[in-house]
Amino acid sequence: MAYDEIEMAVRRSRDKRDVFYRLAKEQGWRARSAFKLLQIDEEFRIFSKVTHVVDLCAAPGSWSQVLERKIGRVNPPGKARIVAVDLQQMAPIPGVVQLQGDITKKKTADAIKKELGGQLAQLVVCDGAPDVTGLHDMDEYMQDQLILAALNISTELLAPGGAFVAKMFKARDIDFMYSQMKLFFRSVTCTKPRSSRSSSNEHFIVCLDYKPLEGYQGMAEDLKPGDELSALTKFVYSGDLSGFDQII
């Protein structure tokens, strides 16, 4: 057996011992990451009074499943709108509108707005991550840029008072990330759900009470490498935004 095959076999064995992996399989979630969003809601009540929600970098769809069960099913038929966006296609989820698009493109924001039925979202979530290179500084930088791109499109989609939740790596530049989020939200908190492996540097930034920033241009045009869309925040294209969860 080749070394990479052995490594994969060990990883699969480890994953199968993970209680949240087993629970995800038993409960029909597409990935164990579903529990992370559920536990974030337990702590912050981000689903409260939400009818319109956007899931960025949604594949393989575990967070969209949570949103459909916790928001779509508890509202009267036709009232809730859940829009999932990713560069890649994913298997359909009843009650969830899926869009294949790049979150750095204005046309993607316009398509999301259309599917929201002319309403703004009360919640935008993003569990995406770029391909891991193994170079920690590079991986952290790429994840930061993905979060900023998700924040940028969220300024086009969120209603005042709305919430934004995104995966991040707790790194040296976390103060910079906080400063960017605090420009747009009155409350910014970093949390690590108990279903997130203790060995992982993964955390989640939970931003509450969105306040549109006066004079901020948002997605006036598509993002390109090196673009500066405002004097306050610089966003750059972050590569693969598929956000595929490789655990399940």
Side-chain angles (χ1 to χ4, degrees):
M1 183 181 292
Y3 176 79
D4 57 347
E5 293 176 330
I6 296 174
E7 186 178 39
M8 183 173 293
V10 170
R11 179 178 178 182
R12 286 174 177 166
S13 175
R14 182 184 68 239
D15 290 341
K16 287 180 180 177
R17 292 195 300 268
D18 186 305
V19 61
F20 290 105
Y21 174 91
R22 296 196 303 271
L23 283 173
K25 300 290 281 187
E26 292 169 5
Q27 297 179 15
W29 303 114
R30 294 184 180 181
R32 67 191 300 280
S33 55
F35 295 105
K36 300 171 189 176
L37 186 58
L38 289 167
Q39 290 161 8
I40 289 171
D41 178 60
E42 286 177 6
E43 183 175 359
F44 296 96
R45 300 299 178 189
I46 57 172
F47 299 156
S48 177
K49 299 180 181 179
V50 170
T51 58
H52 289 60
V53 57
V54 180
D55 184 7
L56 302 175
C57 306
S62 63
W63 278 27
S64 291
Q65 287 180 299
V66 171
L67 297 172
E68 190 279 325
R69 296 189 195 184
K70 295 297 183 178
I71 295 175
R73 297 186 190 182
V74 302
N75 282 284
K79 184 176 181 180
R81 289 179 182 263
I82 302 167
V83 182
V85 186
D86 203 283
L87 279 178
Q88 62 181 320
Q89 291 183 328
M90 64 183 192
I93 299 172
V96 177
V97 175
Q98 296 185 27
L99 296 176
Q100 194 169 358
D102 184 336
I103 67 171
T104 67
K105 304 297 183 183
K106 189 176 186 306
K107 66 180 183 180
T108 302
D110 292 340
I112 296 171
K113 290 178 186 177
K114 182 178 179 181
E115 294 298 342
L116 289 173
Q119 301 293 315
L120 292 172
Q122 297 100 3
L123 173 65
V124 176
V125 299
C126 179
D127 189 35
D131 288 341
V132 175
T133 67
L135 302 173
H136 295 301
D137 288 346
M138 176 63 73
D139 291 338
E140 290 170 0
Y141 172 79
M142 297 293 280
Q143 184 67 21
D144 286 352
Q145 298 311 303
L146 175 55
I147 294 172
L148 292 176
L151 171 64
N152 192 50
I153 194 171
S154 296
T155 63
E156 294 275 317
L157 306 173
L158 272 175
F164 172 72
V165 178
K167 180 192 294 183
M168 66 177 295
F169 297 142
K170 198 168 184 181
R172 293 187 302 271
D173 59 353
I174 192 169
D175 289 339
F176 167 76
M177 295 300 297
Y178 274 20
S179 70
Q180 300 303 297
M181 301 301 173
K182 287 178 178 178
L183 293 171
F184 299 93
F185 298 90
R186 291 187 172 86
S187 172
V188 178
T189 306
C190 183
T191 187
K192 186 176 179 66
R194 59 187 181 277
S195 54
S196 180
R197 292 189 178 94
S198 58
S199 58
S200 170
N201 195 29
E202 168 191 83
H203 289 69
F204 292 85
I205 192 161
V206 180
C207 306
L208 306 176
D209 199 1
Y210 173 63
K211 48 174 183 171
L213 190 63
E214 185 177 354
Y216 184 70
Q217 295 297 313
M219 300 192 76
E221 55 187 56
D222 292 345
L223 279 70
K224 304 179 184 67
D227 276 357
E228 185 165 313
L229 299 187
S230 77
L232 296 170
T233 311
K234 184 176 181 181
F235 302 90
V236 299
Y237 184 74
S238 61
D240 182 4
L241 306 180
S242 64
F244 184 74
D245 188 328
Q246 298 181 15
I247 298 302
I248 294 180

mmCIF file of all heavy atoms in Angstrom, residues 1 15 28 53 82 112 132 169 219 230:
data_model
loop_
_atom_site.group_PDB
_atom_site.id
_atom_site.type_symbol
_atom_site.label_atom_id
_atom_site.label_comp_id
_atom_site.label_asym_id
_atom_site.label_seq_id
_atom_site.Cartn_x
_atom_site.Cartn_y
_atom_site.Cartn_z
ATOM 1 N N MET A 1 0.842 -1.196 0.000
ATOM 2 C CA MET A 1 0.000 0.000 0.000
ATOM 3 C C MET A 1 0.877 1.246 0.000
ATOM 4 O O MET A 1 1.821 1.344 0.774
ATOM 5 C CB MET A 1 -0.912 0.007 1.234
ATOM 6 C CG MET A 1 -1.887 1.192 1.283
ATOM 7 S SD MET A 1 -2.943 1.188 2.767
ATOM 8 C CE MET A 1 -3.946 -0.253 2.454
ATOM 9 N N ASP A 15 -11.542 9.459 11.896
ATOM 10 C CA ASP A 15 -12.815 10.126 11.708
ATOM 11 C C ASP A 15 -13.972 9.273 12.209
ATOM 12 O O ASP A 15 -14.926 9.787 12.783
ATOM 13 C CB ASP A 15 -13.031 10.463 10.231
ATOM 14 C CG ASP A 15 -12.088 11.563 9.744
ATOM 15 O OD1 ASP A 15 -11.556 12.280 10.600
ATOM 16 O OD2 ASP A 15 -11.900 11.666 8.518
ATOM 17 N N GLY A 28 -28.399 12.144 9.465
ATOM 18 C CA GLY A 28 -28.607 12.539 8.082
ATOM 19 C C GLY A 28 -27.966 13.850 7.674
ATOM 20 O O GLY A 28 -28.307 14.406 6.627
ATOM 21 N N VAL A 53 -32.139 33.987 4.676
ATOM 22 C CA VAL A 53 -30.775 33.651 5.068
ATOM 23 C C VAL A 53 -29.983 33.211 3.850
ATOM 24 O O VAL A 53 -30.525 32.610 2.914
ATOM 25 C CB VAL A 53 -30.778 32.556 6.166
ATOM 26 C CG1 VAL A 53 -31.514 31.320 5.686
ATOM 27 C CG2 VAL A 53 -29.376 32.194 6.609
ATOM 28 N N ILE A 82 -34.142 30.506 1.751
ATOM 29 C CA ILE A 82 -32.778 30.076 2.067
ATOM 30 C C ILE A 82 -32.031 29.925 0.753
ATOM 31 O O ILE A 82 -32.426 29.148 -0.113
ATOM 32 C CB ILE A 82 -32.786 28.740 2.830
ATOM 33 C CG1 ILE A 82 -33.612 28.873 4.115
ATOM 34 C CG2 ILE A 82 -31.370 28.287 3.153
ATOM 35 C CD1 ILE A 82 -33.945 27.550 4.769
ATOM 36 N N ILE A 112 -28.304 36.500 -5.902
ATOM 37 C CA ILE A 112 -28.791 36.189 -4.551
ATOM 38 C C ILE A 112 -29.951 37.109 -4.182
ATOM 39 O O ILE A 112 -30.986 36.663 -3.660
ATOM 40 C CB ILE A 112 -27.654 36.320 -3.519
ATOM 41 C CG1 ILE A 112 -26.560 35.284 -3.781
ATOM 42 C CG2 ILE A 112 -28.204 36.147 -2.105
ATOM 43 C CD1 ILE A 112 -25.306 35.494 -2.951
ATOM 44 N N VAL A 132 -6.196 23.783 1.520
ATOM 45 C CA VAL A 132 -5.101 23.882 2.488
ATOM 46 C C VAL A 132 -3.786 23.536 1.809
ATOM 47 O O VAL A 132 -3.666 22.518 1.136
ATOM 48 C CB VAL A 132 -5.357 22.935 3.677
ATOM 49 C CG1 VAL A 132 -4.172 22.948 4.632
ATOM 50 C CG2 VAL A 132 -6.631 23.334 4.405
ATOM 51 N N PHE A 169 -9.390 31.112 11.113
ATOM 52 C CA PHE A 169 -8.303 30.556 11.888
ATOM 53 C C PHE A 169 -7.859 31.610 12.884
ATOM 54 O O PHE A 169 -7.642 32.763 12.505
ATOM 55 C CB PHE A 169 -7.123 30.173 10.983
ATOM 56 C CG PHE A 169 -7.448 29.090 9.992
ATOM 57 C CD1 PHE A 169 -6.930 29.134 8.708
ATOM 58 C CD2 PHE A 169 -8.264 28.027 10.341
ATOM 59 C CE1 PHE A 169 -7.226 28.144 7.789
ATOM 60 C CE2 PHE A 169 -8.559 27.025 9.437
ATOM 61 C CZ PHE A 169 -8.035 27.082 8.155
ATOM 62 N N MET A 219 -20.105 46.172 -3.336
ATOM 63 C CA MET A 219 -19.683 45.523 -4.569
ATOM 64 C C MET A 219 -20.050 46.389 -5.765
ATOM 65 O O MET A 219 -20.903 46.035 -6.586
ATOM 66 C CB MET A 219 -20.293 44.129 -4.679
ATOM 67 C CG MET A 219 -19.885 43.221 -3.541
ATOM 68 S SD MET A 219 -20.298 41.494 -3.827
ATOM 69 C CE MET A 219 -19.020 41.017 -4.988
ATOM 70 N N SER A 230 -12.633 50.265 -1.033
ATOM 71 C CA SER A 230 -12.923 51.408 -0.176
ATOM 72 C C SER A 230 -11.647 51.816 0.518
ATOM 73 O O SER A 230 -10.647 51.103 0.509
ATOM 74 C CB SER A 230 -13.983 51.057 0.866
ATOM 75 O OG SER A 230 -13.413 50.296 1.900
#
